[in-house]
Amino acid sequence: MRILIADDDVTSRTMLTGLMKRWGYDVVEAIDGAQAWEELQKSDAPKLAVLDWVMPVMDGVEVIRQVRARSAEHLPYILLLTAKNGTDDVIRGLDAGADDYVGKPFSLGELRARIQVGRRTVELHSRLQETQEALNHQATHDPLTGVMNRRAIIDHLEKELSRVKRDGGSLSIGILDIDHFKRVNDRYGHQTGDEVLCGCVGVLGGLLRDYDLLGRLGGEEFLVVAPGTGDDCNHLYERLRAAIASTKFTSRAKPVSVTVSIGVAACDGTAGLDELLAAADDALYRAKRSGRDRVVQAESP
């Protein structure tokens, strides 16, 4: 784990650096408060910091105040190290946002123990953050294909519609349905069907732009949200259709080919969410009735 040591006294800084390295830390040094503040603003800033209180340019307490004023997601665990041992000083340092306080002169055992407390705190916070992120992902993503689930993709579409209405521009959506997918499940089994679903997502994801989004509405039906595409948007969805039609999907049973039908609706900000989805859904059914394996664009919703 990386740790920041900030002390303007060369002797103290060299001693602390040597101790931290001996205890297994990767040390980043700062010669004053300004340099410490600079290091703590970096995207890869150390998650542990030992700051001397009295430093030029910015003292340790001011650095702590600046750090705590940030809205960054991962703030460091900060130990304030100083000869100011009065009760008022301790209160002032902790009120500024220090996580712990060690007075000079200190014992090596006490310092190491307090650093270990900080390390455990950082590691616990990291595990909690990872758990929260995993739960958030599970709540918004389809467990089979990994793309957004129905609720998440609809929420995203609603936000995109609000953006278009507010700032102008356009977007299009495409409701994509795998043709005769029941036949795949009936003939080869549901495991092969799942492999085909994941394969289709892989093909689509490779063709969409970074800011396009793909979500699973349910079963074999998917929704593409493509900002910046207006009435003349069929070329995007035609590429998606053609790519699926030309791909043989590997499965445990045998290579499987499928086609898709896509209903497309474009919006310039005048249509509401339900209206836009209904238009795309109607276009999808017209694509199915017209023979499948095609893109049909809705009339302006």
Side-chain angles (χ1 to χ4, degrees):
M1 179 177 289
R2 298 170 74 233
I3 187 168
L4 172 68
I5 302 298
D7 195 324
D8 64 308
D9 183 79
V10 176
T11 302
S12 296
R13 190 173 68 250
T14 301
M15 187 223 14
L16 287 169
T17 296
L19 285 173
M20 298 306 162
K21 289 182 177 179
R22 193 191 317 163
W23 294 341
Y25 294 95
D26 181 13
V27 180
V28 177
E29 295 186 45
I31 63 173
D32 57 35
Q35 188 176 7
W37 169 231
E38 182 180 342
E39 291 291 341
L40 291 171
Q41 291 181 84
K42 294 180 178 179
S43 59
D44 62 343
K47 300 305 179 186
L48 274 173
V50 177
L51 307 183
D52 188 38
W53 185 320
V54 180
M55 291 186 290
V57 188
M58 292 174 65
D59 64 24
V61 168
E62 181 58 27
V63 173
I64 292 170
R65 289 199 184 100
Q66 295 283 359
V67 169
R68 299 310 184 211
R70 298 182 69 199
S71 58
E73 190 171 337
H74 304 291
L75 295 176
Y77 186 98
I78 301 178
L79 189 150
L80 191 60
L81 189 62
T82 181
K84 296 185 176 185
N85 294 321
T87 300
D88 290 343
D89 294 320
V90 173
I91 293 172
R92 182 183 168 197
L94 294 176
D95 280 347
D99 294 290
D100 204 350
Y101 188 107
V102 175
K104 294 180 179 179
F106 54 83
S107 73
L108 297 186
E110 179 187 8
L111 178 62
R112 185 173 188 178
R114 292 183 182 276
I115 292 293
Q116 288 174 335
V117 169
R119 179 170 189 159
R120 289 196 297 270
T121 301
V122 169
E123 290 172 344
L124 175 60
H125 184 273
S126 178
R127 288 196 296 271
L128 290 173
Q129 186 69 28
E130 289 172 1
T131 300
Q132 185 62 52
E133 290 173 356
L135 290 173
N136 289 340
H137 188 274
Q138 291 174 16
T140 57
H141 287 74
D142 175 53
L144 174 63
T145 62
V147 297
M148 284 186 167
N149 60 24
R150 181 184 184 93
R151 179 177 179 178
I153 192 67
I154 295 299
D155 285 347
H156 176 79
L157 173 57
E158 194 164 22
K159 291 175 183 177
E160 282 296 312
L161 283 172
S162 297
R163 181 189 59 79
V164 169
K165 289 177 182 178
R166 181 182 67 250
D167 302 332
S170 62
L171 66 83
S172 69
I173 65 169
I175 299 180
L176 180 152
D177 186 85
I178 301 175
D179 298 323
H180 300 301
F181 186 69
K182 186 176 183 299
R183 296 179 185 176
V184 175
N185 284 329
D186 290 345
R187 183 174 181 182
Y188 303 111
H190 285 85
Q191 183 170 348
T192 295
D194 289 348
E195 291 169 342
V196 170
L197 286 172
C198 292
C200 286
V201 165
V203 170
L204 297 172
L207 292 173
L208 294 173
R209 302 164 299 178
D210 290 342
Y211 46 87
D212 296 332
L213 277 185
L214 174 67
R216 187 180 182 189
L217 295 177
E220 65 272 23
E221 196 169 78
F222 297 86
L223 175 65
V224 174
V225 179
T229 52
D231 292 334
D232 186 24
C233 58
N234 274 21
H235 60 284
L236 168 64
Y237 299 98
E238 179 58 33
R239 288 202 307 273
L240 302 181
R241 183 209 63 78
I244 296 293
S246 63
T247 300
K248 286 191 177 296
F249 298 100
T250 302
S251 73
R252 294 189 179 185
K254 59 175 292 185
V256 178
S257 297
V258 295
T259 61
V260 295
S261 300
I262 307 176
V264 177
C267 176
D268 60 3
T270 57
L273 175 68
D274 292 340
E275 190 178 3
L276 188 64
L277 288 170
D281 199 47
D282 179 70
L284 172 63
Y285 279 104
R286 286 194 285 120
K288 295 285 189 181
R289 290 194 298 268
S290 300
R292 296 181 170 84
D293 188 23
R294 64 195 62 211
V295 176
V296 171
Q297 188 164 351
E299 297 179 1
S300 298

